[in-house]
Amino acid sequence: MARVAVVTGGTAGIGLAAAHALAERGWSVAVIARDPDRLSAAERALAAYGQPVLAISADVADPKAVDAAAARIEAELGPIRAWVNNAMSTVVNPADQITPDEYRRVTETTYLSQVYGTLAALRYMKQRNRGAIIQVSSGLAVRAAPLQAPYCAAKFAVSGFTDALRCELLHDRVNVSLSVIYLPAVNTPQFNWARNRTGHRQYAPDPVFDPRLCAEAIAYAVENPRREVWVGRSSMMMAAAQVLAPALADRKAASMWSAQLSDETIPEMKGNLFEPVPGPVGIDGRFSGRTKASRSEFVTSRTRDLVVGGLAGLALIGLAGTIHAARSARRLPDRT
């Protein structure tokens, strides 16, 4: 029986790239999204890898719809081994010009969808004591940026929820892994359909990475569970800046206001916040000319721990040498 993976938001951008990466590795993939036409297209493309595929139309902000999708996947494809929470939405606008309904909707689609997906997966994984749950997050979950306050807040919430749940699973000795993937700016269609009332088209600041790199990191975490994975140098730099110099990181982020907007003026974009934007979109966005070609630029928490441990060891050795030298100096005879 094929291993079964679920990808929410699996018909475009990173989600579609992740579905392809898993299907290519022999996984049977279920994709959950809203647009029926893109679901049909994704289903046809993924079937070419030779494993069963299931496309389900559902709004991941609806917990009953997510539960129903999970039950259907179990019945039609088999036991769920991996669940990738990837669906998201955002609003590009200053924080005080975003409406309460927009904050609520971004919270539902970007944070609560990951909660609902995780809970649905756990209902099946816990009883089998195996499985991998992947939370697709962002460098903006560590270092927030202007013009996307609802999205940043939702991604921060994902980290808190995941850390709390991980502690509970450890306490109960449940063998289900939780991994968080922190992403950089990525060349996906979301820059073309995010709700935007700034009057300027949204722009991806450099460096911009390939969605397939993100998909490789997701597939890696599914098959080689890691607590965290940072994709692209910029996500690692954001995390380091927030830890080492948060006030300086605030000023740097403030200076990125204009870098997120192009000079091109546009009318207000309703985007895909409440309804899907119709039409084919695929994996890539409009920044292919600036996209980094790397398919292996990601670092896991295990690598980080080894580096930190090595640096700490060197620091202790240096400190021990300094103490030894100081003690030796005190024991030298006075020859004056």
Side-chain angles (χ1 to χ4, degrees):
M1 183 178 294
R3 299 168 297 173
V4 176
V6 182
V7 182
T8 68
T11 61
I14 293 164
L16 182 56
H20 275 275
L22 290 165
E24 187 177 25
R25 287 165 169 78
W27 288 76
S28 182
V29 179
V31 292
I32 302 174
R34 293 177 296 175
D35 186 84
D37 292 336
R38 285 200 292 271
L39 279 164
S40 296
E43 189 171 33
R44 289 192 299 271
L46 295 171
Y49 294 100
Q51 295 294 344
V53 179
L54 182 60
I56 299 176
S57 178
D59 186 341
V60 291
D62 179 351
K64 291 182 179 178
V66 175
D67 285 344
R72 184 179 168 191
I73 293 163
E74 285 271 327
E76 296 187 26
L77 291 186
I80 298 169
R81 290 280 297 272
W83 187 293
V84 180
N85 285 309
N86 168 74
M88 55 76 66
S89 67
T90 189
V91 176
V92 184
N93 222 29
D96 61 350
Q97 297 175 36
I98 297 173
T99 70
D101 280 346
E102 289 170 337
Y103 274 103
R104 176 185 55 79
R105 180 60 177 172
V106 174
T107 301
E108 289 174 344
T109 55
T110 306
Y111 166 53
L112 289 177
S113 72
Q114 300 213 2
V115 174
Y116 301 151
T118 299
L119 297 181
L122 277 178
R123 289 187 185 98
Y124 299 98
M125 292 179 178
K126 285 183 75 172
Q127 64 188 7
R128 291 189 283 263
N129 198 36
R130 71 178 187 187
I133 298 173
I134 310 298
Q135 316 289 37
V136 178
S137 188
S138 167
L140 298 184
V142 179
R143 171 60 258 172
L147 298 179
Q148 294 199 63
Y151 176 82
C152 295
K155 289 301 189 184
F156 268 81
V158 168
S159 297
F161 164 74
T162 304
D163 286 351
L165 176 60
R166 185 183 290 110
C167 296
E168 295 174 6
L169 295 179
L170 288 169
H171 175 270
D172 294 338
R173 295 182 172 85
V174 175
N175 189 32
V176 174
S177 64
L178 290 172
S179 302
V180 181
I181 315 293
Y182 294 102
L183 302 182
V186 184
N187 180 35
T188 73
Q190 72 102 1
F191 291 94
N192 299 334
W193 63 22
R195 177 164 290 199
N196 183 346
R197 292 200 304 276
T198 64
H200 291 268
R201 189 172 297 281
Q202 189 182 10
Y203 189 77
D206 287 323
V208 181
F209 291 89
D210 192 322
R212 295 161 190 81
L213 167 63
C214 305
E216 290 295 323
I218 291 167
Y220 180 86
V222 164
E223 298 182 338
N224 305 274
R226 297 290 186 269
R227 188 180 192 275
E228 295 163 324
V229 180
W230 290 271
V231 178
R233 70 205 74 162
S234 49
S235 65
M236 293 178 271
M237 290 171 63
M238 291 167 74
Q242 185 64 13
V243 171
L244 298 174
L248 180 61
D250 287 341
R251 290 191 288 273
K252 177 64 175 176
S255 71
M256 295 297 291
W257 181 301
S258 59
Q260 297 183 69
L261 302 173
S262 72
D263 294 333
E264 181 186 354
T265 57
I266 58 170
E268 177 179 320
M269 291 178 59
K270 290 185 178 180
N272 68 336
L273 189 60
F274 291 96
E275 300 292 338
V277 175
V281 290
I283 291 175
D284 300 293
R286 66 179 191 274
F287 306 112
S288 296
R290 297 192 294 116
T291 300
K292 299 295 181 184
S294 172
R295 296 287 178 85
S296 59
E297 190 173 327
F298 60 87
V299 174
T300 72
S301 48
R302 181 170 296 183
T303 303
R304 175 205 60 191
D305 294 344
L306 289 172
V307 171
V308 171
L311 292 174
L314 290 173
L316 288 173
I317 291 171
L319 178 61
T322 301
I323 293 172
H324 177 74
R327 287 176 175 173
S328 298
R330 285 199 298 270
R331 290 196 297 268
L332 289 174
D334 187 351
R335 299 183 182 279
T336 59

